Amino acid sequence: MFCYLKIPSFNIYDGPASVYLSPSTTSYTVTEGDTLTAITCYAYCNPSCSYTWSRSGSTVSYTATLSLGQADRGEAGSYVCKARNTGSGVSKNGPGVSVTVRYGPDSVFRSPSTISYTVTEGHTLSAITCYAYCNPTCTYTWSRSGSTVSYTATLNLGQAVRGDAGSYTCQARNMALGRSKNGSAVSVSVRYGPENMYLSPSTTSYTVTEGHTLSTIRCYATCNPSCTYTWSRSGSTVSSTATLSLGQADRGEAGSYVCKARNTGSGVSKNGPTVSVNVRYGPENMYLSPSTTSYTVTEGHTLSTIRCYATCNPSCTYTWSRSGSTVSSTATLSLGQADRGDAGSYVCKARNTGSGVSKNGPTVSVTVRYGPGIVSLSPSTTSYTVTEGDTLTSITCFATCNPSCSYTWSRSGSTVSSTATLNLGQAVRGEAGSYVCTARNTGSGVSNNGPEVSVTVRDSPYNVSLSPPTTSYTVTEGNTIPAITCSAICYPACTYTWSRSGVTVSSTATLNLHQAVRGEAGSYVCQARNPLSGRSKNGPTLSITVRYGPGIVSLSPSTTSYTVTEGDTLTSITCYATCYPSCSYTWSRSGSTVSSTATLNLGQAVRGEAGSYVCTARNTGSGVSNNGSEVSVTVRDSPYIVSLSPPTTSYTVTEGNTIPAITCSAICYPACTYTWSRSGVTVSSTATLNLHQAARGEAGSYVCQARNPLSGRSKNGPTLSVTVRYGPENVSFSPTQTSYTVTEGDTIKAITCSATCYPCTYTWSISGVTVSSTATLNLGQAERGEAGSYVCRARNSGSGISRSGPSVIVTIRYGPDTVSLSPSTTSYTVTEGNTIPAITCSAICYPACTYTWSRSGVTVSSTAKLDLGQAERAEAGSYMCQARNPGSGRSKNGPTVNVSVKCITEQKFTPVVFVDAPDVAIIQSTNLLLENTPLDLLCKASGVPAVYNFTDFVQRVGDVVVLNSHIESPGVMDSISVNISSLQLQDTGIYTCYVHNEITGLNKQLIQTASQRIDVLAENV
């Protein structure tokens, strides 16, 4: 219930002046778990004070005694006791009490938390830090095998060495408490090796005879973890263990062996020393090169070298012997030019220089052929002259040979006898000549001639003949006629004359006409005459025919150049030349025959007949030909078939890349001129369009025009389309603003992204998530979930190049939506002097809301917390928390909290009735004062008694009072308001509220006031 007194009276309140502690100590240091003595706070007060203990602003006790009991680390801090006079409300703090709680270490932790490390020697091991929760701070040591390796919390081993391997423990020690705690052991394993590779036995070179046993060889290395071993030869593995066991030696096992040790942990490997194994064997498989074992050679000829081979290791030595005598101490038997004394049987012996074993190869038989030497005659006479019919004596020849020679007699290369004796008998003219006896070795084929035997038989001329025997020659003038020699069988030698038409042209046996001329044609006769008998005889008649021409090839008419327009008639042109036999004629153009007669008839000119024409006269007998003068025919013609090379008519290229040169061509005579144009503007006056590196300004449609310079006719080629992809560059926005702060529910203007780019696509994203695939970001009415940093990315869809614009920051103010209380109780009834729990007001807001607590329109707290402490009757009433968004100006009231304070009837004191002039406040519904938006102003008063007479609520501009129809009529009421549904610029001004409750205020004034300034902004601002 509430107490009201009819008779005023006064109470005298005193204290608190000072606040004391018992015990008076203000600093305590205690170990966690130990009991902290109770601390009592007291002060001299009238009426008695109430006490609270707090730490860091939070109440921990509502009594005078602070009893912490067994100390906990969470209780460390600075404690303050507040004494409050329950009558006057005056309070005072006592001295601060510092409580320090020593604790730890409880557990030791590591960073990183790994407990086992394996690292290769030389690699860096990351630092390991240990920590524990201690007060005061712990010291740390790291130890390994009982020895300290670090006096800090961090173990830095750096580059690992094998000596770093082991188990490490970190100890945290609280020096104040003398407590220590070990962390879990950290195992460090260091991989090293392979190193110090060696062999057992240490021998690295072995020589063994094939079939003998080779001792086992073992490979060792220093490694952690243990190494694996492989033996290899020539890159092929022969053993996958550390041991090389070859057993009985085989020649295939000879070679270089290497042991490789490999660390199975690090994968590092190393080779040991190379072991050389040499296996002795042979001689075996003896053979000769060439393999022939029997040679027959002619004396003086070279006998090919014979080489002896055997399979041996080490290499064998070789000796060649004949009849037990050594003839060569090498593998090679070189007899050179054969001599009859070299004949015999030869044997090669191979000997292994390591083992001393020797072996003979196959026997080689050599036979030497010789002779014939000098060939002799019997009788020895070498010249005979007889008369035809006389008898000629027999002649025998002989020579020395192995094997025996055969004999032949020959005359003029023809055999006349196949025996050693020449028997001619009675001489006839046909037997005259030189005879030779040839002795021939039937084995070697070598032959030798004896001295020449001359037989002369005297006789008249016979058989007059020609050489060459041809009797008819047809030759082209200027070509050479071969020399023609006349001969006859005649003894002694005949004389000769050549004549033509009875006239002597040569007095020798040979007719030399040399290069033929047309005047030498005719019939020639050779006469042979015996100078002793005077007899003569004619040879066969020789016929000479001389072909000539063509010489100069002439034209009729003689004109050699014609220019006509297509369709005009071209005159006939005839060519002729002097020839024997008569010439044939052809006309050709560009190597192709166009006429096989002497006359060129083109008739009406067409473009395909333009060109150079040549008449060729050809001698049908000699095949000799000659060309006449070149006749040029020009046919004027328009351009046709304008084409491009390359033929592509559309190019799409990224700016900066090269566009290939494009050449325009047309069928045209004379040669056309060319121009390239784009949009009617000439860009090149040549046949070739060179754009080089593409620039965006070169994009467009290009046309090549071919023009005949004589006729003036022109023709366009196909249109060439060039598209140049460029950008993106200069990514910008419209509007250009990059930061937006709006209230939730307000509309955010559309933001359009643009870039210098062709072709481009656009995406908007927030935190990597695409929110729009167009250039425009339309957020519409703002929602709190849309706040963030937006990025527009422009992407060239042709080249794939992309670029982002600056970030657009969207900040969305929201809340308060719902105002809640903690605790959520909305009604408290307490006895005066008892404590009302603190009530905290909260709301979801951005930016964070500000809070005010008010009672009867009067602000009692400007924080979220309403802390009434010990209840007083004056604190009874209805409390309301208002959450206000400082960005948007929006506010929201929480639920009303009703506080009732029950009076305590005291015999010692007379209750007092308090009166107070009203406190006045104007509450504004929004801070967003835009034209055409609503606004409410609520004027409230708070005083005792709570009967309020509102006398006025006026608007002023300067000193002028403005009549405002939106103001509520004055009178006795709880509040007065101004309600403007749509602000206008004329609503700008200062609004003042006037109220009283019949109590004069401290300002000596009955009427109390409050004012609020309102500035209305134009809608387009």
Side-chain angles (χ1 to χ4, degrees):
M1 59 177 251
F2 293 96
C3 302
Y4 297 94
L5 297 184
K6 298 179 180 178
I7 302 172
S9 64
F10 296 93
N11 286 329
I12 297 174
Y13 303 122
D14 185 25
S18 297
V19 180
Y20 306 93
L21 302 175
S22 176
S24 59
T25 305
T26 57
S27 180
Y28 294 86
T29 299
V30 63
T31 301
E32 189 173 38
D34 291 350
T35 300
L36 185 66
T37 186
I39 308 166
T40 302
C41 167
Y42 61 94
Y44 298 104
C45 303
N46 184 28
S48 297
C49 280
S50 62
Y51 299 90
T52 56
W53 283 90
S54 62
R55 184 187 67 183
S56 303
S58 297
T59 301
V60 296
S61 175
Y62 289 97
T63 67
T65 301
L66 176 65
S67 294
L68 295 178
Q70 284 187 316
D72 178 84
R73 64 191 69 178
E75 293 173 332
S78 183
Y79 291 81
V80 175
C81 174
K82 177 188 282 188
R84 183 175 182 276
N85 189 306
T86 56
S88 64
V90 174
S91 62
K92 190 168 183 75
N93 289 339
V97 176
S98 172
V99 176
T100 299
V101 180
R102 297 178 302 201
Y103 55 85
D106 300 325
S107 298
V108 180
F109 306 94
R110 289 176 313 283
S111 177
S113 60
T114 306
I115 61 171
S116 180
Y117 293 85
T118 300
V119 62
T120 300
E121 188 171 40
H123 290 193
T124 300
L125 185 66
S126 58
I128 308 167
T129 301
C130 74
Y131 60 94
Y133 296 107
C134 302
N135 187 36
T137 303
C138 278
T139 60
Y140 299 90
T141 56
W142 282 90
S143 61
R144 185 188 66 189
S145 304
S147 298
T148 301
V149 294
S150 174
Y151 288 95
T152 68
T154 300
L155 176 64
N156 272 313
L157 293 180
Q159 285 187 318
V161 296
R162 61 194 68 178
D164 291 330
S167 181
Y168 290 81
T169 301
C170 174
Q171 184 182 77
R173 180 174 175 78
N174 190 317
M175 299 299 288
L177 300 179
R179 294 179 184 171
S180 61
K181 183 87 174 176
N182 289 341
S184 302
V186 176
S187 171
V188 175
S189 176
V190 180
R191 296 179 299 219
Y192 55 84
E195 299 174 354
N196 308 320
M197 289 191 71
Y198 67 95
L199 304 174
S200 176
S202 59
T203 304
T204 57
S205 180
Y206 294 84
T207 299
V208 62
T209 300
E210 188 171 37
H212 291 191
T213 300
L214 187 66
S215 60
T216 298
I217 307 166
R218 187 172 180 83
C219 176
Y220 296 89
T222 304
C223 299
N224 183 41
S226 298
C227 279
T228 59
Y229 299 89
T230 55
W231 283 90
S232 62
R233 184 187 68 185
S234 303
S236 297
T237 300
V238 295
S239 173
S240 297
T241 68
T243 302
L244 177 64
S245 295
L246 295 179
Q248 286 188 318
D250 179 85
R251 66 190 69 180
E253 293 173 332
S256 293
Y257 291 81
V258 176
C259 175
K260 177 184 285 188
R262 184 178 181 274
N263 187 308
T264 56
S266 64
V268 174
S269 61
K270 186 171 183 178
N271 290 340
T274 299
V275 175
S276 173
V277 175
N278 183 27
V279 180
R280 294 180 302 215
Y281 52 85
E284 298 172 357
N285 308 320
M286 288 192 69
Y287 66 96
L288 303 177
S289 177
S291 59
T292 305
T293 57
S294 179
Y295 291 87
T296 299
V297 62
T298 301
E299 187 175 39
H301 288 192
T302 300
L303 184 65
S304 60
T305 298
I306 306 168
R307 185 171 182 86
C308 179
Y309 294 90
T311 304
C312 299
N313 186 38
S315 299
C316 280
T317 60
Y318 298 90
T319 56
W320 284 90
S321 61
R322 186 186 65 183
S323 303
S325 298
T326 300
V327 295
S328 173
S329 296
T330 69
T332 302
L333 176 63
S334 293
L335 294 179
Q337 285 186 318
D339 179 83
R340 59 193 72 179
D342 292 329
S345 293
Y346 293 82
V347 176
C348 173
K349 177 185 285 187
R351 182 177 182 275
N352 188 309
T353 56
S355 64
V357 175
S358 61
K359 187 171 185 176
N360 288 341
T363 299
V364 176
S365 172
V366 176
T367 301
V368 180
R369 294 176 301 214
Y370 54 87
I374 297 171
V375 179
S376 303
L377 300 177
S378 176
S380 59
T381 303
T382 57
S383 179
Y384 296 87
T385 301
V386 294
T387 301
E388 189 174 25
D390 292 346
T391 299
L392 189 64
T393 185
S394 296
I395 307 165
T396 301
C397 70
F398 55 91
T400 303
C401 299
N402 180 37
S404 298
C405 281
S406 63
Y407 299 89
T408 57
W409 282 91
S410 61
R411 184 189 70 187
S412 303
S414 297
T415 300
V416 294
S417 174
S418 297
T419 67
T421 301
L422 176 64
N423 283 309
L424 294 180
Q426 285 186 322
V428 295
R429 69 189 73 167
E431 293 174 333
S434 293
Y435 291 80
V436 174
C437 176
T438 301
R440 182 178 181 275
N441 188 309
T442 56
S444 64
V446 174
S447 60
N448 202 6
N449 291 336
E452 188 177 84
V453 176
S454 173
V455 175
T456 301
V457 178
R458 290 184 288 260
D459 191 20
S460 295
Y462 294 92
N463 303 327
V464 180
S465 62
L466 302 179
S467 178
T470 304
T471 58
S472 178
Y473 288 87
T474 299
V475 64
T476 300
E477 186 173 39
N479 287 359
T480 301
I481 300 173
I484 304 162
T485 302
C486 179
S487 62
I489 298 171
C490 192
Y491 188 82
C494 281
T495 60
Y496 299 90
T497 56
W498 283 91
S499 61
R500 186 186 66 186
S501 304
V503 178
T504 299
V505 294
S506 175
S507 298
T508 66
T510 301
L511 175 65
N512 280 311
L513 295 177
H514 303 297
Q515 285 185 316
V517 295
R518 60 192 71 179
E520 292 177 332
S523 295
Y524 292 79
V525 175
C526 171
Q527 183 183 75
R529 183 175 181 276
N530 190 312
L532 289 180
S533 63
R535 293 178 183 175
S536 62
K537 191 172 180 76
N538 290 340
T541 300
L542 176 69
S543 174
I544 302 291
T545 301
V546 179
R547 295 176 301 214
Y548 54 86
I552 296 170
V553 181
S554 303
L555 301 176
S556 176
S558 59
T559 304
T560 57
S561 180
Y562 296 86
T563 300
V564 295
T565 301
E566 189 173 29
D568 291 350
T569 299
L570 190 65
T571 186
S572 296
I573 307 166
T574 301
C575 71
Y576 55 92
T578 303
C579 300
Y580 180 82
S582 297
C583 278
S584 63
Y585 298 90
T586 56
W587 283 90
S588 62
R589 183 188 68 186
S590 303
S592 297
T593 300
V594 295
S595 173
S596 298
T597 68
T599 301
L600 175 65
N601 282 310
L602 293 180
Q604 285 188 316
V606 294
R607 71 188 74 158
E609 293 175 334
S612 295
Y613 290 82
V614 174
C615 176
T616 301
R618 183 177 181 276
N619 187 308
T620 56
S622 65
V624 173
S625 60
N626 200 9
N627 291 338
S629 301
E630 189 176 86
V631 177
S632 173
V633 176
T634 301
V635 180
R636 290 185 292 257
D637 190 20
S638 297
Y640 294 91
I641 310 175
V642 182
S643 60
L644 304 180
S645 176
T648 305
T649 57
S650 179
Y651 290 86
T652 299
V653 64
T654 301
E655 187 171 42
N657 289 358
T658 301
I659 300 174
I662 303 158
T663 301
C664 177
S665 61
I667 298 171
C668 192
Y669 189 83
C672 278
T673 60
Y674 299 90
T675 55
W676 283 91
S677 62
R678 186 187 67 190
S679 303
V681 178
T682 298
V683 294
S684 174
S685 297
T686 67
T688 299
L689 177 63
N690 278 309
L691 295 179
H692 303 298
Q693 285 185 317
R696 62 194 69 176
E698 293 174 332
S701 294
Y702 291 79
V703 175
C704 172
Q705 184 183 75
R707 183 177 181 277
N708 188 312
L710 286 181
S711 66
R713 294 177 183 173
S714 62
K715 188 174 182 71
N716 289 343
T719 299
L720 174 71
S721 173
V722 176
T723 301
V724 180
R725 298 178 299 220
Y726 55 87
E729 301 167 0
N730 309 319
V731 181
S732 59
F733 307 123
S734 175
T736 58
Q737 186 175 344
T738 58
S739 179
Y740 294 84
T741 299
V742 296
T743 301
E744 187 172 38
D746 290 351
T747 300
I748 302 174
K749 291 182 180 178
I751 306 167
T752 301
C753 175
S754 62
T756 304
C757 186
Y758 181 82
C760 252
T761 60
Y762 298 89
T763 56
W764 282 91
S765 62
I766 178 172
S767 302
V769 177
T770 300
V771 294
S772 174
S773 297
T774 68
T776 301
L777 177 64
N778 277 311
L779 294 179
Q781 285 188 315
E783 297 179 7
R784 60 193 70 179
E786 293 173 331
S789 179
Y790 289 82
V791 175
C792 173
R793 177 174 289 273
R795 181 179 183 276
N796 189 309
S797 55
S799 66
I801 297 171
S802 62
R803 188 182 297 275
S804 295
S807 294
V808 175
I809 308 299
V810 176
T811 302
I812 299 179
R813 298 176 299 219
Y814 55 85
D817 299 328
T818 301
V819 181
S820 58
L821 304 176
S822 177
S824 60
T825 305
T826 57
S827 180
Y828 294 86
T829 300
V830 297
T831 301
E832 188 173 30
N834 288 355
T835 301
I836 300 173
I839 306 166
T840 302
C841 173
S842 62
I844 298 173
C845 299
Y846 184 83
C849 277
T850 60
Y851 300 90
T852 55
W853 282 91
S854 62
R855 186 186 67 184
S856 303
V858 178
T859 299
V860 295
S861 174
S862 297
T863 68
K865 183 182 286 187
L866 175 65
D867 198 350
L868 296 177
Q870 286 183 319
E872 299 177 7
R873 63 194 69 182
E875 292 172 334
S878 295
Y879 292 82
M880 183 176 289
C881 173
Q882 183 183 72
R884 181 177 180 275
N885 188 314
S888 66
R890 293 180 180 174
S891 60
K892 182 94 174 176
N893 291 336
T896 300
V897 177
N898 293 308
V899 177
S900 298
V901 182
K902 295 186 292 186
C903 297
I904 299 174
T905 303
E906 297 182 357
Q907 296 178 356
K908 186 176 181 181
F909 300 101
T910 304
V912 177
V913 175
F914 294 94
V915 293
D916 192 12
D919 293 325
V920 187
I922 297 176
I923 301 169
Q924 182 178 319
S925 63
T926 180
N927 286 337
L928 190 62
L929 303 177
L930 287 176
E931 191 176 18
N932 296 320
T933 62
L935 172 66
D936 294 328
L937 298 177
L938 179 66
C939 179
K940 298 205 64 164
S942 176
V944 180
V947 179
Y948 309 113
N949 185 356
F950 289 89
T951 61
D952 212 345
F953 201 160
V954 297
Q955 174 191 0
R956 283 188 179 85
V957 178
D959 294 331
V960 178
V961 175
V962 178
L963 294 178
N964 194 318
S965 61
H966 302 295
I967 297 174
E968 189 177 2
S969 299
V972 177
M973 57 186 76
D974 290 333
S975 62
I976 189 171
S977 63
V978 177
N979 304 109
I980 305 173
S981 59
S982 179
L983 282 171
Q984 302 300 313
L985 294 178
Q986 59 265 32
D987 291 322
T988 296
I990 296 174
Y991 290 76
T992 305
C993 172
Y994 300 85
V995 63
H996 71 86
N997 65 349
E998 303 295 342
I999 304 299
T1000 300
L1002 295 176
N1003 59 1
K1004 309 297 185 184
Q1005 300 294 321
L1006 177 66
I1007 304 297
Q1008 304 299 315
T1009 64
S1011 296
Q1012 182 74 26
R1013 183 180 182 87
I1014 300 299
D1015 292 306
V1016 181
L1017 300 176
E1019 189 173 21
N1020 61 351
V1021 175

